[in-house]
Amino acid sequence: MKAVYNHKEIEKKWHDIWEEHPVNVDDGKKEKYYCLDMFPYPSGSGLHVGHWRGYVISDVWSRYKLMQGYYLIHPMGWDAFGLPAENYAIKMGIHPAITTAENIANIKRQMKQIAAIYDWDREVNTTDPDFYKWTQWIFVQMFKNGLAYEKEMPINWCPNCKTGLANEEVVNGKCERCGAEVTKKNLKQWMLKITAYADRLLEDLKTLDWPEKVIKMQTEWIGRSYGAEIEFPIEGTDRKITVYTTRPDTLYGATFMVLAPEYEGASQLATPDHQKEVDDYIYQTSMKSSVDRLQDKEKTGVFTGSYAINPLNNEKVPIWLADYVLADYGTGAIMCVPAHDDRDFEFAKKFDLPIIQVISPDGKENENLEEAYIGTGIVINSGEWNGRNSDELKKSAPDEIEQRGIGKKKTNYKLRDWVFSRQRYWGEPIPIVHCPDCGCVPVPEEELPLLLPEVEKYEPTGTGESPLAAIEDWVNTTCPVCGKPARRETNTMPQWAGSSWYFLRYVDPHNKEKLVDREKADKYLPVDMYIGGVEHAVLHLLYSRFYTKFLKDINVLDFDEPFTKLFNQGMITGKNGIKMSKSKGNVVSPDDLVRDYGCDSLRMYELFVGPPELDSEWDERGIDGVYRFLSRFYNLANTSLEANVAPTLEMIKLRHKLIRDITRRLESFSLNTVISGFMEYNNKLNDMAKTTGGIDRETMESFIRLLAPFAPHVAEEMWQAYGHEESVFDPKFGWPEYDEALCKDDEIEIGVQVNGKVRATILVPVDADQESALAKAKEALGDKLSGSIVKEIYVPGRIVNIVVK
RNA sequence: GCAGGUGUGGCGGAAUGGCAGACGCAUCAGACUCAAAAUCUGACGAGGGCAACCUUGUGUGGGUUCAAGUCCCACCACCUGCACCA
């Protein structure tokens, strides 16, 4: 009798059993394994097949670890503050908390279809006051430690979202969220001093088992460089301008100086006959959007009429303003060495400024430099430095400059402090009170959480004020220190605030007293494996690292890095590689597929579409293939159980090879070839069963266990059919083991080549010696072998190649 | 411009320097069926040959090697990130 694979019945059955009898239990003895998914934003459109893949990958890995005997931390939660819910509230007048709750319910329903082994008791939600109490608490600690500060400055402003943005949220001059062109706006902002951690954030990257790409992106984002700050006196005054350079070795070649147009006091440097031009230029620059400024390839600039003195040779150098110099990097002023810097060269050519070569590859001066020479060489035209090696001088120049008292050594970073306030409603209120006498005072810890108040209008004001500013009875409060009337801070935190630490809360989600109990933190953290998309390579992953380091410094935790290993799964796209989105109408929902093919089939197909780290186009026709495989396997397992055959040597060998291949591929995260491996071995076993009537119990049971992380329902069903009372995931069964010696075949088919071209195949013992292998090869070749033999190559188990002339 | 990734049949994709195209989808043929679906069996890169076979073939052009999808050099195309950071 043929058993029919009924996925609906099987999946319903095991769904219920798992609910009642969880297999992932902490007995206090097992080692922990923390496998984390990047928690989702509960969007209204629900999960699509692309989200599914990430969750399937992490669940497969988790279940594998579970079977190996670990106690799993495999939680899920909601990154629920953010713009879509707020925008929906503005449009429909429905409170974001209501839409958020609805969306969470829907996505949670979809997630249960994945049958991932999440521990829902650990669920967190960033908009839950019990959670954001601690988000606010961390902010207060940062404030107390001088890492959160208020500053008025021009920040990135999205005119569409009507809020300020962090540097990390601006992509090619556009808003990371909505794509609108980002402008500058002068606003008083809360900042987090992430730059204080720049060195540690950079150095500790070396300790991480992360994709090289992400390490590189963070390294570049932090952008550390070594150089010197050098002081140039301004001619005819007692003022000085400090420049930053990474090339102090070229100081003799500095023929002019350029300041950013925003440089403080730039206008005052203009001599009367240049004043109008200078002020016009400053004004024009201030009118440019960051996109325009990025796209202007042609250099512009204006001469101030003033001169600075090169402190090394006392030469006069003209001071210019140009927008290719950034105001917020270094000192906002640079010394220009046109002979050895592309940008300075271009500028000097355009405005006819002198060019002095100070480094030469051969020690000779090139009369007609056609481009800047960036390389190293012998120092020339540099007084007492002449004749030195430029590389060596580059290293010692900062010290020499410091000794002469004209400057000092300096390390700079591209990383900027984190603009942390948002002028929007749906976020954590920043727990600060502004007191006319005491200044900024944090809300006392026992008063946290500072609840987000209800408002009538969610609409952002656009003025730089948060909608919270309109709620008079919330804004007006008293100073926690002196008791006098004071006003609350009305800005909210960015969405990144909650996601920067949520993974810590999972290990102690209900703690009322602490962010996380220290003992639990020590026991269950850090995260061993973090799985998610690459879009957070700098944003979330950098912020989380910063938070973790800070929490270590204030003794909440005892580790430096939150995520030991990181895996970036590729995106599942629609046809032609187009990103799935509601507006494009190409979103594929998993719901129908689960109904028609079952969870196990979809899980396996999600992995089968391609290598997990690469993007894949979704083509659902292929799911038939895995469904057929599962049906065949189900069948084979059932017939084999009935047939109850004794193992043959062939079966035993196949079993060991199966375990070896699947385990190796799984270990190397080649999940697509794990699935094809299952199919391949299933075909082989099926062929074998045609003559034997079935496959032996041990082989089938091994197969079932290997399949369990991938197709947990079918595996449980078959495991039970094979007479086991406990779950296939019960750690007492463990992960199947193999014996390398039993994976070897006695005989093997190898190719026989003549001059590198395959002309025949022969069956030889694996360890056949050269003589017998060659004899057999020649026999197989027959008259295809002609001419005189030049060379004979035999690689045991691989190939025979005979070279003839 | 700089850095990284990718490029293999009609399609998704396999290949520790050793028989390219595993596995799957689609397609075609056959079996079963009154018929269809499902299932099973077989064929399936291109060109040639009645045939066993031959030629050719992994983005392009060179090179190393007995042997290259794989290693080296130089290009091309697409994707991603960074982009005046001095």
Side-chain angles (χ1 to χ4, degrees):
Chain A
M1 196 190 71
K2 248 190 171 180
V4 178
Y5 170 50
N6 182 336
H7 68 260
K8 275 189 190 150
E9 216 171 85
I10 294 173
E11 290 180 3
K12 170 82 180 71
K13 170 179 162 187
W14 287 99
H15 198 273
D16 294 346
I17 294 177
W18 290 331
E19 290 263 309
E20 271 181 52
H21 307 280
V23 282
N24 179 38
V25 189
D26 188 8
D27 62 2
K29 282 177 253 166
K30 288 191 262 187
E31 227 181 287
K32 68 92 185 180
Y33 192 90
Y34 189 167
C35 180
L36 179 67
D37 290 283
M38 291 186 183
F39 68 160
Y41 172 77
S43 100
S45 37
L47 298 182
H48 59 63
V49 291
H51 300 111
W52 248 71
R53 177 151 85 155
Y55 303 138
V56 170
I57 291 169
S58 75
D59 190 55
V60 162
W61 192 250
S62 296
R63 287 179 183 270
Y64 173 51
K65 289 292 160 188
L66 175 66
M67 290 173 80
Q68 285 183 323
Y70 291 95
Y71 168 62
L72 268 184
I73 314 281
H74 189 41
M76 184 44 77
W78 315 101
D79 189 14
F81 274 126
L83 280 180
E86 183 175 339
N87 288 340
Y88 192 74
I90 291 164
K91 214 167 90 186
M92 310 298 288
I94 296 170
H95 195 278
I98 295 169
T99 26
T100 300
E102 282 170 3
N103 294 345
I104 288 176
N106 181 46
I107 295 186
K108 202 165 168 179
R109 172 192 65 79
Q110 288 188 302
M111 280 204 171
K112 296 225 163 162
Q113 293 181 335
I114 301 171
I117 190 159
Y118 292 127
D119 187 346
W120 289 104
D121 291 341
R122 298 188 182 277
E123 182 177 352
V124 300
N125 177 338
T126 54
T127 64
D128 179 351
D130 285 339
F131 181 91
Y132 72 67
K133 169 181 179 176
W134 300 105
T135 312
Q136 291 173 330
W137 181 86
I138 296 170
F139 182 88
V140 170
Q141 306 313 308
M142 286 197 177
F143 178 80
K144 288 180 177 168
N145 283 274
L147 289 171
Y149 64 96
E150 227 185 354
K151 187 180 177 188
E152 179 161 341
M153 59 177 244
I155 58 148
N156 298 306
W157 174 264
C158 174
N160 186 35
C161 298
K162 294 183 178 138
T163 185
L165 299 173
N167 249 325
E168 287 81 4
E169 291 171 307
V170 182
V171 180
N172 290 327
K174 292 181 179 159
C175 172
E176 185 241 3
R177 267 227 98 80
C178 70
E181 269 189 29
V182 170
T183 59
K184 291 276 175 185
K185 194 176 178 101
N186 227 8
L187 270 187
K188 202 167 194 188
Q189 292 293 307
W190 280 98
M191 307 284 291
L192 295 189
K193 212 179 209 163
I194 190 171
T195 52
Y197 285 76
D199 269 313
R200 283 166 67 188
L201 288 168
L202 190 64
E203 291 302 325
D204 290 348
L205 284 171
K206 292 177 192 144
T207 67
L208 298 174
D209 185 3
W210 281 19
E212 220 162 295
K213 179 184 177 166
V214 179
I215 303 245
K216 214 161 228 168
M217 280 169 76
Q218 291 212 359
T219 305
E220 280 170 16
W221 192 262
I222 296 165
R224 181 165 66 187
S225 66
Y226 298 106
E229 283 186 351
I230 303 172
E231 291 180 334
F232 280 63
I234 302 171
E235 189 197 34
T237 72
D238 51 8
R239 286 173 57 200
K240 285 175 175 172
I241 292 177
T242 305
V243 302
Y244 172 71
T245 180
T246 56
R247 296 296 305 274
D249 53 315
T250 63
L251 183 48
Y252 274 98
T255 53
F256 59 102
M257 174 186 277
V258 176
L259 314 184
E262 300 90 341
Y263 191 89
E264 216 182 313
S267 172
Q268 286 76 14
L269 281 170
T271 54
D273 49 330
H274 289 90
Q275 191 69 55
K276 187 178 180 313
E277 242 186 301
V278 165
D279 288 344
D280 282 353
Y281 187 76
I282 292 172
Y283 176 75
Q284 278 160 25
T285 308
S286 70
M287 286 292 104
K288 274 191 198 172
S289 76
S290 42
V291 173
D292 286 345
R293 199 164 159 177
L294 278 172
Q295 277 169 352
D296 282 346
K297 293 282 180 233
E298 180 88 0
K299 296 261 181 300
T300 62
V302 65
F303 179 43
T304 60
S306 295
Y307 291 85
I309 307 295
N310 184 330
L312 209 51
N313 57 12
N314 295 319
E315 295 282 334
K316 268 169 68 172
V317 298
I319 302 172
W320 287 65
L321 304 185
D323 68 1
Y324 80 91
V325 174
L326 304 176
D328 59 350
Y329 180 77
T331 61
I334 60 168
M335 65 173 215
C336 297
V337 185
H340 305 291
D341 181 277
D342 287 326
R343 296 150 302 184
D344 298 346
F345 185 84
E346 194 189 327
F347 195 81
K349 280 284 175 196
K350 177 159 178 186
F351 294 104
D352 204 21
L353 293 158
I355 298 173
I356 299 174
Q357 193 184 353
V358 290
I359 293 167
S360 164
D362 54 7
K364 290 182 198 128
E365 188 165 348
N366 183 343
E367 295 292 324
N368 294 307
L369 265 187
E370 280 177 11
E371 55 178 9
Y373 177 68
I374 312 297
T376 58
I378 298 159
V379 176
I380 57 171
N381 293 331
S382 297
E384 72 283 13
W385 282 349
N386 282 340
R388 287 175 68 174
N389 173 291
S390 71
D391 234 2
E392 173 269 317
L393 179 58
K394 189 179 169 189
K395 285 185 195 107
S396 66
D399 288 317
E400 295 183 36
I401 280 161
E402 205 166 299
Q403 279 154 25
R404 287 167 195 236
I406 56 173
K408 59 178 202 278
K409 268 161 86 168
K410 174 80 180 172
T411 303
N412 255 328
Y413 303 88
K414 291 185 192 174
L415 184 71
R416 313 290 148 93
D417 276 344
W418 178 5
V419 176
F420 198 68
S421 21
R422 298 293 178 273
Q423 294 69 45
R424 298 288 307 218
Y425 172 70
W426 192 229
E428 303 88 345
I430 292 178
I432 291 286
V433 172
H434 297 273
C435 171
D437 292 340
C438 313
C440 291
V441 179
V443 172
E445 286 175 28
E446 60 276 13
E447 286 177 29
L448 297 178
L450 171 61
L451 292 175
L452 180 63
E454 303 285 327
V455 288
E456 307 257 316
K457 283 186 165 179
Y458 307 103
E459 189 87 41
T461 61
T463 59
E465 281 224 310
S466 147
L468 296 183
I471 314 171
E472 283 300 318
D473 58 347
W474 184 79
V475 172
N476 290 310
T477 181
T478 52
C479 172
V481 175
C482 68
K484 285 187 194 153
R487 287 177 70 80
R488 286 194 190 281
E489 168 66 44
T490 57
N491 282 322
T492 53
M493 298 187 195
Q495 201 178 352
W496 312 108
S499 61
S500 294
W501 72 278
Y502 76 105
F503 47 90
L504 305 171
R505 186 66 176 174
Y506 280 138
V507 305
D508 194 11
H510 310 296
N511 196 328
K512 296 265 181 208
E513 309 302 320
K514 288 175 172 176
L515 185 154
V516 57
D517 176 69
R518 179 59 186 271
E519 219 169 276
K520 287 185 179 166
D522 289 347
K523 189 170 171 192
Y524 298 121
L525 292 165
V527 173
D528 296 287
M529 171 68 94
Y530 198 17
I531 295 177
V534 76
E535 65 272 18
H536 294 120
V538 276
L539 289 152
H540 160 60
L541 290 172
L542 187 68
Y543 296 151
S544 300
R545 296 181 60 225
F546 164 49
Y547 265 54
T548 302
K549 289 177 190 307
F550 170 68
L551 291 172
K552 185 194 174 185
D553 289 352
I554 61 166
N555 222 12
V556 172
L557 310 166
D558 191 31
F559 53 89
D560 283 290
E561 288 290 337
F563 315 121
T564 308
K565 192 172 164 74
L566 175 71
F567 182 82
N568 289 132
Q569 92 264 17
M571 209 176 21
I572 298 264
T573 67
K575 265 261 159 276
N576 303 318
I578 299 164
K579 197 173 169 174
M580 281 193 190
S581 76
K582 219 176 178 179
S583 58
K584 300 246 170 56
N586 63 349
V587 174
V588 180
S589 163
D591 293 16
D592 294 352
L593 293 165
V594 170
R595 185 195 61 214
D596 296 342
Y597 294 92
C599 166
D600 285 346
S601 290
L602 185 54
R603 285 171 65 102
M604 293 188 83
Y605 185 59
E606 290 273 359
L607 303 176
F608 189 55
V609 287
E613 69 279 9
L614 299 182
D615 293 352
S616 297
E617 261 180 48
W618 184 259
D619 179 357
E620 75 185 43
R621 281 176 305 185
I623 195 172
D624 285 307
V626 289
Y627 187 81
R628 282 176 198 144
F629 155 74
L630 282 174
S631 307
R632 286 178 202 146
F633 177 74
Y634 183 79
N635 233 305
L636 177 67
N638 276 299
T639 28
S640 296
L641 181 63
E642 250 173 75
N644 193 23
V645 302
T648 63
L649 185 61
E650 232 187 332
M651 289 176 195
I652 293 169
K653 288 197 166 179
L654 212 59
R655 179 173 85 235
H656 285 270
K657 277 199 267 192
L658 166 72
I659 299 169
R660 180 192 61 183
D661 286 358
I662 297 299
T663 306
R664 278 188 188 166
R665 292 173 190 189
L666 179 53
E667 278 290 336
S668 62
F669 246 73
S670 178
L671 304 178
N672 54 326
T673 61
V674 169
I675 308 299
S676 58
F678 282 139
M679 293 173 170
E680 209 176 330
Y681 279 96
N682 189 50
N683 291 346
K684 284 181 189 168
L685 291 172
N686 252 321
D687 284 346
M688 213 179 267
K690 273 177 201 158
T691 52
T692 59
I695 301 298
D696 69 284
R697 166 175 282 267
E698 198 175 350
T699 302
M700 288 317 294
E701 288 194 349
S702 298
F703 204 136
I704 291 165
R705 283 152 70 201
L706 295 171
L707 193 62
F710 300 85
H713 306 89
V714 173
E716 284 280 37
E717 180 72 10
M718 297 325 298
W719 191 246
Q720 190 184 53
Y722 270 69
H724 298 282
E725 279 171 24
E726 295 92 347
S727 163
V728 68
F729 296 103
D730 193 307
K732 80 181 208 191
F733 299 116
W735 187 251
E737 285 174 5
Y738 65 92
D739 180 350
E740 190 67 53
L742 283 168
C743 293
K744 288 206 177 83
D745 285 309
D746 299 333
E747 286 201 311
I748 191 168
E749 197 182 58
I750 63 172
V752 178
Q753 301 179 327
V754 178
N755 289 346
K757 280 179 185 156
V758 180
R759 285 293 121 104
T761 57
I762 51 170
L763 197 61
V764 290
V766 195
D767 51 358
D769 59 23
Q770 171 134 351
E771 203 179 327
S772 65
L774 281 170
K776 202 155 190 182
K778 283 173 189 164
E779 189 192 326
L781 285 171
D783 54 9
K784 281 177 201 157
L785 186 65
S786 60
S788 61
I789 294 170
V790 180
K791 197 170 185 179
E792 291 169 331
I793 289 128
Y794 168 58
V795 183
R798 297 248 179 246
I799 204 93
V800 171
N801 190 10
I802 298 172
V803 186
V804 297
K805 227 198 286 192

